[in-house]
């Protein structure tokens, strides 16, 4: 790739991937950019522009080869690999994520869950026993941990984030309501549920917005 | 407001609201757009542009009055009202959301949780007893339901969404991996956790992106 791609484009790729997967599941092997655009409610020109960032996959008069495009996006997103995840915080959010089997189908494997609460440590959630957060350092030495899921309460989030960074874990999926300065090449992806709910409240009260 | 505001701007408002709330909690009553911009890692001109969409709150040489701005954004977002929410699907995600007390502090009150599983119906989660999903229609007639939280498995999502629309509920917070055509003025806000994880995977593998 010659140029840097905007994160706005990147964030649309999973959606393409989802739609193309649905098409494949329904036995559709080829689609015009017009049909894809109607299905996805995005302009055909937007789709062409997005996909051109990664090379040209459409053919004039033929449209897109669904499987080829699906596989290419899979590779672009890095979903041809698998990832080892640990969940930090074994509360309801941590448990909900561990129980969500769809992530594994995409190659995201939970290999550990940690908490500081002695009443939770040692209990079993799905296939994993909750470990003491103090064991995390040794665990990261003995296992290849790619991504830490930060699911601790706000007041512990900074402490745990510092541990993640110092133990050399490179990816953070952040469910705490805190934001962190990127450091040491650590990649953070935030899920701000309250922000999402506030956005819904805004839309609920106002028609003064455009959907982009 | 004379013109429609882009959703990209709207989606940044909860973040301003969060940061301003933190400032207030720390006793900071006034901030320059430069300091706010450094704290939020957004350009000062972006901040000015965003806030100008809703009227001008900054004063040359003074900066922003934190409390005033906080209250204005609160009103813009519709957080000066309260909302009644029902959770559809009492699995781990539904339970996690019901147990998350921060939403109530923002005025989002859970007044019901529903499921179709007879093993879950009648059990108590936090302060609510899980009701049979077949009672939802009557419940919406007897209560003012603003927002339905869609937390059912993918295979039930379409059915339940149709029920939501037909019962006249106007807001949907969608945790299913499905997307819905907007209809009858229904407002849908999607939380696609798998998309977020895929975006993280991309960033993990590539430096070829720009953070906007």
């Amino acid at each position: 790739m010659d140029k840097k791609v905007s994160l706005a484009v990147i964030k649309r790729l999973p959606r393409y991937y989802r739609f193309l997967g649905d098409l494949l599941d329904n036995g559709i092997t080829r689609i015009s950019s017009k049909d894809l655009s109607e299905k996805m409610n995005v302009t055909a020109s937007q789709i062409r522009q997005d996909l051109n960032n990664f090379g040209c996959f459409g053919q004039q008069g033929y449209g897109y080869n669904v499987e080829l495009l699906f596989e290419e996006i899979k590779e672009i997103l890095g979903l041809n690999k698998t990832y080892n995840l640990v969940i930090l915080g074994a509360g309801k959010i941590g448990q909900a994520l561990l129980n969500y089997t769809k992530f594994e189908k995409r190659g995201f494997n939970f290999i550990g869950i940690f908490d500081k609460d002695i009443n939770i440590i040692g209990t079993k959630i799905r296939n994993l026993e909750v470990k003491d957060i103090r064991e995390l350092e040794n665990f990261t030495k003995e296992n290849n941990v790619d991504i830490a899921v930060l699911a601790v309460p706000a007041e512990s989030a900074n402490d745990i984030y510092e541990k993640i960074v110092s133990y050399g874990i490179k990816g953070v999926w952040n469910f705490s309501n805190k934001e962190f300065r990127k450091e040491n090449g650590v990649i953070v992806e935030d899920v701000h549920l309250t922000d999402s709910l506030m956005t819904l409240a805004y839309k609920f009260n106002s028609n003064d917005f455009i959907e982009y």
Side-chain angles (χ1 to χ4, degrees), chain A:
Chain A
M1 273 179 268
D2 299 301
K3 61 188 179 77
K4 299 224 178 231
V5 177
S6 155
L7 200 57
V9 177
I10 304 302
K11 283 185 183 294
R12 284 194 288 269
L13 290 183
R15 193 161 172 257
Y16 288 115
Y17 186 71
R18 238 183 320 119
F19 273 79
L20 293 165
D22 282 350
L23 291 176
L24 280 183
D25 287 346
N26 291 309
I28 296 164
T29 55
R30 153 181 168 178
I31 191 167
S32 69
S33 69
K34 182 165 166 290
D35 287 352
L36 186 59
S37 102
E38 275 170 16
K39 201 170 161 58
M40 294 192 62
N41 204 18
V42 184
T43 65
S45 115
Q46 170 87 82
I47 291 180
R48 275 192 300 270
Q49 273 178 40
D50 282 351
L51 299 181
N52 278 344
N53 278 298
F54 307 96
C56 190
F57 304 108
Q59 253 180 291
Q60 196 71 35
Y62 177 87
Y64 295 106
N65 176 318
V66 176
E67 189 168 4
L68 192 67
L69 193 52
F70 181 79
E71 291 299 329
E72 288 282 359
I73 292 179
K74 181 174 182 175
E75 197 176 326
I76 291 165
L77 286 171
L79 301 177
N80 47 348
K81 306 183 200 173
T82 61
Y83 299 88
N84 288 334
L85 283 73
V86 292
I87 297 176
L88 309 184
K92 294 280 176 189
I93 287 277
Q95 290 182 35
L97 295 170
L98 183 53
N99 277 291
Y100 198 65
T101 54
K102 287 251 171 84
F103 300 136
E104 276 154 38
K105 288 182 194 149
R106 301 288 187 216
F108 299 95
N109 301 313
F110 295 112
I111 61 168
I113 181 164
F114 295 82
D115 206 286
K116 68 173 183 184
D117 183 345
I118 52 163
N119 295 310
I120 299 177
I121 294 165
T123 61
K124 206 161 177 182
I125 304 173
R126 211 171 146 210
N127 55 338
L128 294 175
E129 197 180 289
V130 180
K131 290 183 199 297
D132 190 322
I133 189 78
R134 288 173 297 187
E135 293 174 38
L136 179 60
E137 184 167 15
N138 275 330
F139 189 88
T140 54
K141 283 177 190 160
E142 287 160 15
N143 297 275
N144 178 24
V145 177
D146 299 304
I147 295 168
V149 183
L150 191 54
V152 299
E155 58 272 22
S156 312
N158 277 314
D159 277 358
I160 302 293
Y161 180 72
E162 277 172 28
K163 285 191 172 52
I164 292 169
V165 175
S166 71
Y167 300 163
I169 301 174
K170 289 297 176 204
V172 179
W173 200 22
N174 176 27
F175 283 80
S176 85
N177 218 12
K178 297 284 170 190
E179 293 188 19
F180 306 101
R181 295 267 167 195
K182 316 294 178 276
E183 48 186 327
N184 298 336
V186 174
I187 296 291
V188 182
E189 170 75 14
D190 296 321
V191 180
H192 286 304
L193 294 178
T194 313
D195 286 17
S196 166
L197 196 47
M198 290 189 215
T199 306
L200 177 58
Y202 175 85
K203 293 181 188 171
F204 196 83
N205 288 292
S206 173
N207 294 311
D208 283 323
F209 64 90
I210 308 163
E211 280 277 352
Y212 64 80

